[in-house]
Amino acid sequence: MEIDKTLASSDRLVDENKRLISKIGSLLARWEGILVLIIIGMVIVFSNITPYFLDYFNLMNATFTFMEKAVLALPIIFIILSGDIDISGAAIIALSSFSMGFASSHGAGTAQVVITGLAVGALAGAFNAVFIINFGIPAIAVTLATQSFFRGISQAILEDQAYTHYPESFSYFGQGYIPGTIIPFELIFFLVLAGIFAYVLHFTSYGRKLYAIGNSATAARFSGVPVNRIRFTNFVLHGLFAGIVAVLLTSRIGSTRPNIANGWELEAITLVVLGGVSITGGKGSIVGVILSIFLIGYLKFGMGLINLSAKVMIITTGFLLITAVLIPVIIDAVGRRNKLKMQRRRG
């Protein structure tokens, strides 16, 4: 009797171990699991190469270099999930920053400067949305054109000049710390926004509708989903967030030049795709994008500590992006192949 109980207990233990191994395998098969492994590997490598990598002060200050791009990436998740694209983000930042500089040079206070930046960003996003939704022009064509238009305005007026005078309190948004700590305000601000986006995407009907539109806009429309209204909202939201990034970036560097944030739109899209959001829409999560943001941010920080050139950083980021695109395809192909084999065996 005692032997039977021991054997039964042993069997349960084996079954529990198998389930645990199966769960770990499933987790690692997901792109988020792979990103976690890459981050762990990165931390191990850099912490062994340089003692400055795991310094708390350095880790906190390093976030200043990528939090603005992280904020810009959040609304792009919604846009790509619903099957669209917007490459005018950096140009909207330039236009918003120019508007803030213009307002500040005419005596506007901090609140007025911030409101100006947000309003111009939202209006620029709505400008894109009208042409894409109301006139049915492809998003890539519209945002490619407005990319030149928005940045061209600031370039035409500023030329090689710059706005450099902003209210003193304005600098807190991009340079400030949470009182009594060395935690940057931008980091906490991003984490709060990411939490809100995660809630909306994964726990509300708006998020479910985004996935539905990304999988098939036609099917979603026949199911009663207000496809155009949601897409319009996404583009306005993207413009508003580009305005927020303009506030953070202008506040941090303390000036506005026509080439501000040049190339950031592609870096933000890279963060989203690297985070596992399907470029064709319908698949992805906030968690994956947050992991990719910290992976790329601290990867560049680590490479900077050991004096690797910017070209190496670009090549490394490109390699990770290719990997992000290929691995889900390979996992899906292997899964379909195994499923087909099992069906043949049963047949």
Side-chain angles (χ1 to χ4, degrees):
M1 191 69 178
E2 191 65 31
I3 295 174
D4 290 342
K5 287 182 178 177
T6 304
L7 288 174
S9 175
S10 176
D11 288 342
R12 280 198 299 274
L13 188 61
V14 170
D15 290 340
E16 287 174 3
N17 286 336
K18 284 182 178 177
R19 282 197 291 272
L20 180 62
I21 292 171
S22 175
K23 285 182 180 177
I24 293 174
S26 300
L27 181 63
L28 294 179
R30 294 169 59 94
W31 180 240
E32 289 87 349
I34 295 170
L35 286 175
V36 170
L37 288 179
I38 296 174
I39 290 174
I40 292 172
M42 174 190 70
V43 171
I44 292 172
V45 169
F46 283 126
S47 60
N48 279 291
I49 293 176
T50 169
Y52 303 108
F53 183 77
L54 281 184
D55 181 89
Y56 179 66
F57 182 76
N58 286 343
L59 289 175
M60 287 294 105
N61 273 340
T63 60
F64 279 114
T65 61
F66 58 87
M67 275 304 103
E68 291 128 8
K69 293 171 190 169
V71 172
L72 184 62
L74 291 175
I76 294 178
I77 297 172
F78 284 8
I79 287 180
I80 294 182
L81 267 179
S82 55
D84 283 312
I85 193 72
D86 190 333
I87 58 171
S88 65
I92 295 177
I93 293 172
L95 182 63
S96 296
S97 183
F98 161 75
S99 304
M100 289 190 295
F102 182 81
S104 180
S105 67
H106 285 75
T110 296
Q112 293 164 309
V113 169
V114 171
I115 290 171
T116 300
L118 302 186
V120 169
L123 285 173
F127 187 81
N128 280 336
V130 166
F131 284 95
I132 295 167
I133 309 302
N134 295 46
F135 292 92
I137 303 173
I140 184 69
V142 171
T143 55
L144 185 64
T146 55
Q147 183 187 46
S148 301
F149 178 63
F150 294 148
R151 190 175 288 280
I153 292 173
S154 59
Q155 285 177 332
I157 298 175
L158 273 178
E159 297 181 342
D160 59 347
Q161 303 298 311
Y163 288 122
T164 57
H165 297 291
Y166 287 94
E168 190 175 337
S169 59
F170 181 67
S171 62
Y172 178 78
F173 298 109
Q175 303 175 28
Y177 293 87
I178 300 301
T181 71
I182 57 169
I183 302 173
F185 165 78
E186 283 191 347
L187 174 61
I188 299 300
F189 183 64
F190 164 72
L191 292 176
V192 170
L193 290 177
I196 294 171
F197 268 72
Y199 175 78
V200 171
L201 182 60
H202 300 299
F203 299 101
T204 68
S205 63
Y206 190 88
R208 290 191 291 275
K209 289 171 184 173
L210 286 176
Y211 285 108
I213 295 170
N215 283 309
S216 173
T218 304
R221 191 173 282 110
F222 278 115
S223 301
V225 175
V227 174
N228 286 346
R229 194 171 69 196
I230 289 176
R231 291 177 66 209
F232 196 101
T233 303
N234 288 343
F235 284 105
V236 175
L237 193 67
H238 178 247
L240 174 64
F241 269 66
I244 292 173
V245 173
V247 171
L248 297 174
L249 178 59
T250 308
S251 166
R252 181 165 63 85
I253 62 179
S255 65
T256 297
R257 296 183 185 280
N259 64 347
I260 188 171
N262 203 14
W264 279 28
E265 68 281 355
L266 294 182
E267 291 190 50
I269 291 170
T270 299
L271 292 175
V272 174
V273 176
L274 184 61
V277 177
S278 172
I279 196 69
T280 56
K283 290 181 183 176
S285 71
I286 295 286
V287 174
V289 176
I290 293 174
L291 289 171
S292 78
I293 286 167
F294 284 95
L295 169 63
I296 294 297
Y298 282 121
L299 184 65
K300 288 183 175 179
F301 168 62
M303 289 191 288
L305 283 178
I306 58 177
N307 293 321
L308 289 181
S309 68
K311 291 177 182 175
V312 175
M313 295 183 192
I314 293 171
I315 292 171
T316 305
T317 307
F319 173 76
L320 286 174
L321 185 59
I322 293 171
T323 305
V325 173
L326 283 181
I327 285 188
V329 173
I330 293 171
I331 290 175
D332 283 346
V334 171
R336 283 198 302 272
R337 189 177 172 184
N338 290 338
K339 191 175 179 181
L340 189 62
K341 280 183 179 178
M342 290 180 67
Q343 287 175 345
R344 284 176 179 171
R345 284 175 188 168
R346 287 173 186 167

